[in-house]
Amino acid sequence: MRETANDTFTEVFQVASKFSANLFDTELQAPRVTSRQKSSANPQTTSNEEYFRVTTFITCIDTLIQNLTDRFIKNEDILSSFQLLLPGYACEKKINELEKLGPYFQDEMPLSAVQAEYKLWCAKISSIDPSTEILKLLEYCDGTFFRAMNLLLKVMATLPVTTASVERSFSTMKRIKTLPRSVMGHDRLSALAMMSIHWDTVVDPEEVLDLLAKKKSRKLLF
């Protein structure tokens, strides 16, 4: 997409222009260009499309490519070692690559024990569908017999693909922790944040009432 940014953004800009005109009755226009600007992008462009392509589209693409490079390519060795835990990739011949995952299990058990456990794990998952999700595989992995594999799968399952969920949490906190709520307690703040972040979770009022009824009764003082 980066190589074809000009052609790709032309289609995007046409759709965005129609959307802006139909919904807001507004034409997409580049802001006024000044001779000296420090707070925002100020490129010399010849059209509105070129301005938004340079300042928005290409900037986002370059940032995304850089983040993917920093996150995955630079950690390719570790990620490829985690991949050996999955059906279709597990191979006893690559057992020495587990040493790269040492920081995740060295406090729990030695490398030799992990390698011995990995041989049994390869035999156990040899008949599992390679498209099985990590969470399903984690349920299949008994932590009593495969302690190291269970630990590594948990680490693998919790590796975030993006930081969107973390950033969403901070944005939610900014909306909730307002000045009038500056003295709000930790429990109430956490509860409101969870309700806002997981807004799509269906809550049964009857279950909530049952939980409140089972708690210790509190008498109001008048």
Side-chain angles (χ1 to χ4, degrees):
M1 182 179 290
R2 182 61 178 87
E3 290 75 10
T4 60
N6 293 340
D7 297 334
T8 303
F9 184 72
T10 298
E11 300 178 3
V12 174
F13 186 77
Q14 291 175 355
V15 174
S17 298
K18 293 180 180 179
F19 182 82
S20 177
N22 296 334
L23 190 61
F24 303 106
D25 194 21
T26 304
E27 180 183 357
L28 293 179
Q29 293 183 349
R32 181 173 59 89
V33 177
T34 60
S35 58
R36 184 177 182 181
Q37 178 63 269
K38 295 182 179 180
S39 301
S40 61
N42 193 35
Q44 298 294 330
T45 56
T46 58
S47 64
N48 295 331
E49 179 182 340
E50 183 181 1
Y51 175 84
F52 288 108
R53 180 175 64 249
V54 173
T55 60
T56 305
F57 185 72
I58 294 180
T59 302
C60 291
I61 295 298
D62 289 343
T63 302
L64 179 61
I65 293 174
Q66 185 62 41
N67 289 338
L68 290 175
T69 301
D70 294 339
R71 190 170 189 82
F72 294 105
I73 296 181
K74 291 184 178 180
N75 299 310
E76 185 176 2
D77 292 340
I78 296 178
L79 294 175
S80 61
S81 299
F82 271 116
Q83 194 176 36
L84 296 177
L85 305 175
L86 304 178
Y89 297 95
C91 179
E92 291 188 22
K93 296 181 180 180
K94 299 182 180 180
I95 194 172
N96 292 329
E97 294 189 15
L98 293 177
E99 186 176 357
K100 300 175 183 177
L101 303 179
Y104 299 102
F105 62 76
Q106 60 185 4
D107 294 336
E108 299 292 334
M109 53 197 312
L111 176 62
S112 58
V114 175
Q115 291 177 336
E117 185 178 308
Y118 180 71
K119 293 180 180 179
L120 298 176
W121 178 248
C122 290
K124 184 177 179 63
I125 65 175
S126 59
S127 59
I128 298 180
D129 185 4
S131 62
T132 303
E133 297 180 355
I134 298 178
L135 294 180
K136 293 292 183 182
L137 193 63
L138 189 58
E139 295 177 359
Y140 183 73
C141 179
D142 190 345
T144 304
F145 299 100
F146 297 97
R147 188 157 62 98
M149 298 299 103
N150 188 273
L151 174 62
L152 292 176
L153 285 173
K154 287 181 179 178
V155 174
M156 188 177 182
T158 54
L159 288 175
V161 179
T162 66
T163 59
S165 58
V166 179
E167 294 172 357
R168 190 182 302 116
S169 300
F170 283 112
S171 299
T172 302
M173 295 297 290
K174 290 181 180 179
R175 293 194 300 269
I176 296 177
K177 191 68 173 180
T178 58
L179 185 60
R181 294 174 174 172
S182 59
V183 295
M184 183 189 306
H186 175 74
D187 293 339
R188 181 178 177 83
L189 179 62
S190 299
L192 291 176
M194 293 294 291
M195 291 174 61
S196 178
I197 295 171
H198 303 285
W199 58 269
D200 55 340
T201 302
V202 179
V203 179
D204 187 1
E206 295 296 333
E207 293 183 3
V208 176
L209 292 176
D210 291 340
L211 290 175
L212 293 176
K214 293 178 181 179
K215 288 187 175 182
K216 183 179 179 180
S217 60
R218 294 182 295 177
K219 296 181 180 180
L220 297 178
L221 300 177
F222 295 97

